[in-house]
């Protein structure tokens, strides 16, 4: 069986550090938010782990960023073909129909990944939005909450520390839901481990 190389090493390293980090950030976030209701660890420990991991994932984000920008692959892989809008919308609908119905009756996945076009259209818009907008916003609001004085000018620009808290908490809810959906979708390969193994080895079997 032919294998295709989908995930280069920097992407795999970034992805798994990010995945483990996100799970711990979500859990320590729960502890920080619900001090009196949750007893996973002390408030101080949760804040310390959360802050350290925040900086580790900030550094980790640059692995993804530098790799995709300097190889020019960001534009090929992450940017949807907005110059062919009708075709793109049609392919989104085709992919959504597959997830909602076709997959249950054994239809073939309409998207066949290749290294330069590895995401289906729905993955492409969601990953683009997550990597280019939501993760940077979560990092920036996290920095504001970490030191509201140091980042005072940005805090007042967005309307105060409550606004930063609101955005950071809303994205915490979003990412908690995302991990569940993302994990489910990651198990929908030919076998439940096909995509997950590929994210470790880089290679996926071509079917
Ligand atoms: C339980 C944790 C996780 C598992 C098992 C998992 C699994 C996977 C797998 C199998 C892929 C490759 C298939 C695909 O492209 O869909 C992937 C890609 C990806 N995942 Fe995850 N993931 C996890 C957590 C996360 C988290 C927390 C984020 C971000 C918030 C994330 C963001 C991404 C992105 C952006 C890609 C595309 C990477 C690229 O090829 O450029 N994942 N994930």
């Amino acid at each position: 069986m032919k294998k295709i190389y989908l995930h280069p090493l920097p992407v795999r390293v970034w992805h798994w550090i990010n995945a483990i980090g996100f799970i711990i950030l979500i859990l320590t976030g729960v502890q920080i938010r619900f001090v009196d209701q949750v007893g996973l660890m002390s408030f101080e420990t949760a804040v310390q782990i959360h802050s350290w991991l925040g900086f580790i994932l900030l550094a980790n984000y640059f692995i993804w960023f530098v790799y995709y920008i300097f190889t020019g692959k960001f534009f090929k892989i992450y940017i949807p073909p907005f110059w062919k809008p009708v075709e793109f919308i049609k392919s989104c609908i085709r992919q959504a129909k597959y997830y909602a119905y076709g997959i249950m009756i054994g239809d073939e996945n309409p998207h066949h990944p290749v290294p330069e076009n590895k995401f289906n259209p729905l993955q492409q818009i969601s990953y683009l939005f997550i990597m280019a907008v939501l993760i940077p916003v979560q990092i920036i609001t996290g920095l504001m909450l970490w030191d509201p004085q140091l980042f005072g000018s940005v805090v007042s620009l967005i309307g105060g520390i409550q606004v930063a808290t609101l955005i950071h908490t809303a994205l915490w809810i979003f990412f908690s839901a995302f991990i569940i959906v993302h994990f489910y979708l990651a198990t929908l390969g030919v076998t439940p481990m096909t995509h997950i193994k590929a994210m470790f080895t880089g290679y996926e079997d071509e079917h």
Side-chain angles (χ1 to χ4, degrees):
M1 192 180 296
K2 219 177 123 196
K3 286 181 183 292
I4 21 173
Y5 191 52
L6 287 185
H7 308 299
L9 186 65
V11 173
R12 287 178 275 146
V13 170
W14 160 79
H15 182 269
W16 291 119
I17 295 177
N18 192 64
I20 296 166
F22 253 76
I23 293 169
I24 303 173
L25 280 176
I26 287 171
L27 294 176
T28 47
V30 173
Q31 183 63 72
I32 293 168
R33 184 76 189 179
F34 299 104
V35 187
D36 299 324
Q37 292 86 353
V38 176
L40 290 174
M41 63 195 85
S42 74
F43 178 75
E44 288 74 17
T45 311
V47 170
Q48 275 208 341
I49 298 176
H50 200 85
S51 306
W52 273 101
L53 259 184
F55 282 105
I56 292 171
L57 289 202
L58 166 60
N60 191 41
Y61 180 75
F62 281 95
I63 298 182
W64 175 89
F65 184 84
V66 166
Y67 173 78
Y68 271 112
I69 298 300
F70 286 99
T71 55
K73 288 186 179 173
F74 177 71
F75 296 95
K76 287 191 192 128
I77 294 181
Y78 274 81
I79 303 293
F82 52 82
W83 52 95
K84 295 186 273 184
V86 177
E87 218 172 286
F88 183 68
I89 292 168
K90 275 189 185 158
S91 62
C92 285
I93 296 171
R94 206 177 312 130
Q95 192 67 35
K97 274 189 182 159
Y98 169 74
Y99 282 134
Y101 177 68
I103 194 169
M104 327 273 179
I105 56 162
D107 279 356
E108 196 188 330
N109 191 327
H111 181 77
H112 298 278
V114 288
E116 303 291 84
N117 181 22
K118 62 177 171 174
F119 297 150
N120 71 48
L122 297 180
Q123 281 175 315
Q124 208 173 27
I125 11 181
S126 31
Y127 289 158
L128 174 66
F129 196 54
I130 286 171
M131 296 310 296
V133 180
L134 299 187
I135 290 192
V137 169
Q138 191 68 332
I139 290 174
I140 293 165
T141 51
L143 287 172
M144 293 181 202
L145 296 173
W146 173 70
D147 193 335
Q149 248 127 47
L150 185 64
F151 295 94
S153 48
V154 204
V155 172
S156 37
L157 195 74
I158 64 158
I161 201 70
Q162 286 90 344
V163 179
T165 311
L166 181 71
I167 297 172
H168 202 73
T169 312
L171 284 178
W172 161 62
I173 297 169
F174 169 83
F175 282 120
S176 307
F178 166 78
I179 284 209
I180 297 169
V181 175
H182 183 63
F183 181 78
Y184 164 69
L185 291 173
T187 62
L188 296 185
V190 174
T191 75
M193 285 305 286
T194 303
H195 295 324
I196 296 176
K197 262 195 220 149
M199 217 1 146
F200 281 105
T201 62
Y203 289 92
E204 189 155 312
D205 293 335
E206 200 178 38
H207 289 271

